[in-house]
Amino acid sequence: MSELLDFGGRSVWFNVTLFAAAAAIVWIAGTRMVRLVDRLADRTGMGKGFAGMLLLGGIVSLTEISTVSTAAFTGSPLLALNNLLGSESINLFLLAAVDPLTGREALTSFIAKPAMLFQGTMGIVLLAFTALAMAVGDVLVFGVGLWSSALFLLCLGALWMSARYEHRKVWTVQDQTEKPGDESGDDGGPDRDKHRQERLGPLCLKLTALAGVILLAGLFLSLTGDALAEQTGLGASFVGFLLVGISTSLPELSTITAALRMKRHEMAVGDILGSNVFNLLLVFLTDVLYVGEPVLNQVGRFEIVASLLAIVMTGILLLGLLERRDKTVLGMGYDSAAMLAVFLGGVAILYGFGG
């Protein structure tokens, strides 16, 4: 992938410098984008969690689009696939890592809406479907894998169902206590009323411009991250899972950090769950661009274990959302601490498979 701009032939320090510059741009753009999405959600009446899932999750996934497209087109489908699977777990790892920003209480204790549970459950279903497809094997239909096509339709269905579920009153938390800045208890005050009067056109234009900035900076992140990964001499599967996965997950880190500082807890969680759905959506794009057998037929135990790792971590997040405990350890909720531990253990196992 890095051959496009010859980053692989440049020095390590050049790539590190360019990577850091792109990361800084992504961070600044991501922070500004969260404010715009928050204002757009107030303007349209969209729920904060769904706004995070659809808008933030979709925009920050632009980095993965450029990465997997280039990898698949240049004949590296495993790098593309492992980048997507790596981002699934890394996004959850980053969400757990920024938990201390919420203060003395766990992040999941602020979430009191069933939409978050629905989105997380859909994520587990999609990941399990992906693992099943890789274990069974795919077949070509009109040049594209049948399983990857079905996964694409399931991801679109998940987004559609989440949009409908957002407006349904299925149940409420009975012992809920209002917390400062918690979307479930705060009506937004004068700021929200001001946002509702804001013109929609300029708001969407600003959001589109920031999305373009993140796409361009994200492309340099992925290219330099890939070049640095190759210069380390690590195995291709592990490179795609961890190093390139981290580089393409930096937009998520910037947006969830900004969302938590604004006390938009549901938006932060929705951002990660939405980004993970969009990542699985891109398996189909990888299959379309790669000329050869279905990409899901080229996997091994490494990719299946990577999917299972993301399933376990998403399950832990759902347990935290159901439990809604305020107790913390090392400044984070028990669920976040468990996700960090599981991720590190999973990386050690995967390194043994693909190092």
Side-chain angles (χ1 to χ4, degrees):
M1 179 191 318
S2 56
E3 290 85 349
L4 291 179
L5 296 177
D6 196 28
F7 290 129
R10 299 181 183 271
S11 68
V12 173
W13 286 112
F14 175 87
N15 288 327
V16 168
T17 302
L18 190 55
F19 183 90
I25 293 174
V26 165
W27 189 275
I28 295 172
T31 301
R32 294 179 179 273
M33 188 173 64
V34 171
R35 297 191 180 99
L36 287 177
V37 170
D38 183 55
R39 288 155 54 185
L40 185 62
D42 290 340
R43 173 64 177 81
T44 60
M46 186 186 304
K48 301 292 185 181
F50 184 68
M53 179 183 187
L54 183 63
L55 298 178
L56 286 182
I59 292 174
V60 296
S61 294
L62 291 173
T63 306
E64 275 82 7
I65 291 178
S66 61
T67 304
V68 301
S69 298
T70 308
F73 190 75
T74 55
S76 302
L78 270 185
L79 182 63
L81 188 59
N82 280 291
N83 173 31
L84 297 174
L85 295 177
S87 293
E88 295 286 308
S89 300
I90 291 171
N91 287 343
L92 293 165
F93 171 83
L94 294 177
L95 182 66
V98 299
D99 192 334
L101 293 178
T102 58
R104 296 183 178 180
E105 298 175 329
L107 168 61
T108 48
S109 68
F110 288 88
I111 312 299
K113 291 187 177 180
M116 296 290 96
L117 294 172
F118 184 84
Q119 292 171 14
T121 304
M122 289 301 301
I124 289 180
V125 171
L126 294 173
L127 282 165
F129 185 88
T130 304
L132 177 63
M134 291 187 292
V136 173
D138 207 349
V139 293
L140 283 176
V141 177
F142 301 112
V144 183
L146 181 61
W147 279 93
S148 63
S149 300
L151 178 62
F152 177 80
L153 295 176
L154 283 176
C155 290
L156 291 180
L159 294 172
W160 178 74
M161 292 173 66
S162 296
R164 291 174 58 87
Y165 197 84
E166 179 79 16
H167 301 289
R168 293 178 58 196
K169 302 295 183 181
V170 289
W171 54 265
T172 57
V173 178
Q174 294 186 357
D175 63 344
Q176 179 182 355
T177 57
E178 295 184 4
K179 300 180 181 181
D182 185 10
E183 298 97 325
S184 57
D186 183 14
D187 62 2
D191 286 340
R192 177 167 294 184
D193 293 336
K194 180 181 178 181
H195 294 165
R196 286 173 176 168
Q197 299 174 2
E198 193 169 4
R199 294 178 60 187
L200 192 58
L203 202 57
C204 293
L205 187 61
K206 293 177 183 178
L207 193 61
T208 303
L210 282 178
V213 171
I214 288 181
L215 175 61
L216 183 59
L219 176 60
F220 280 92
L221 272 178
S222 62
L223 289 174
T224 54
D226 183 24
L228 288 170
E230 291 174 1
Q231 290 167 346
T232 64
L234 292 174
S237 294
F238 191 74
V239 163
F241 176 85
L242 187 61
L243 297 183
V244 180
I246 289 176
S247 68
T248 55
S249 291
L250 284 178
E252 283 87 345
L253 178 60
S254 68
T255 52
I256 60 177
T257 299
L260 291 184
R261 285 177 175 171
M262 293 173 58
K263 299 188 182 300
R264 296 297 186 256
H265 309 97
E266 290 183 5
M267 187 175 291
V269 176
D271 179 4
I272 294 302
L273 294 177
S275 180
N276 283 357
V277 172
F278 280 102
N279 285 341
L280 294 178
L281 195 82
L282 296 179
V283 173
F284 176 77
L285 177 63
T286 305
D287 216 359
V288 170
L289 295 179
Y290 176 67
V291 179
E293 65 175 324
V295 294
L296 294 179
N297 282 355
Q298 304 184 41
V299 302
R301 289 192 303 170
F302 184 98
E303 288 74 24
I304 295 177
V305 171
S307 299
L308 296 178
L309 174 61
I311 289 175
V312 172
M313 293 182 67
T314 307
I316 293 174
L317 175 63
L318 288 178
L319 289 175
L321 291 174
L322 287 168
E323 187 68 14
R324 300 190 70 246
R325 292 278 184 174
D326 294 337
K327 296 180 179 180
T328 60
V329 56
L330 300 176
M332 65 184 68
Y334 289 169
D335 51 339
S336 293
M339 281 196 288
L340 293 181
V342 168
F343 177 79
L344 294 177
V347 167
I349 294 173
L350 290 170
Y351 181 73
F353 285 156

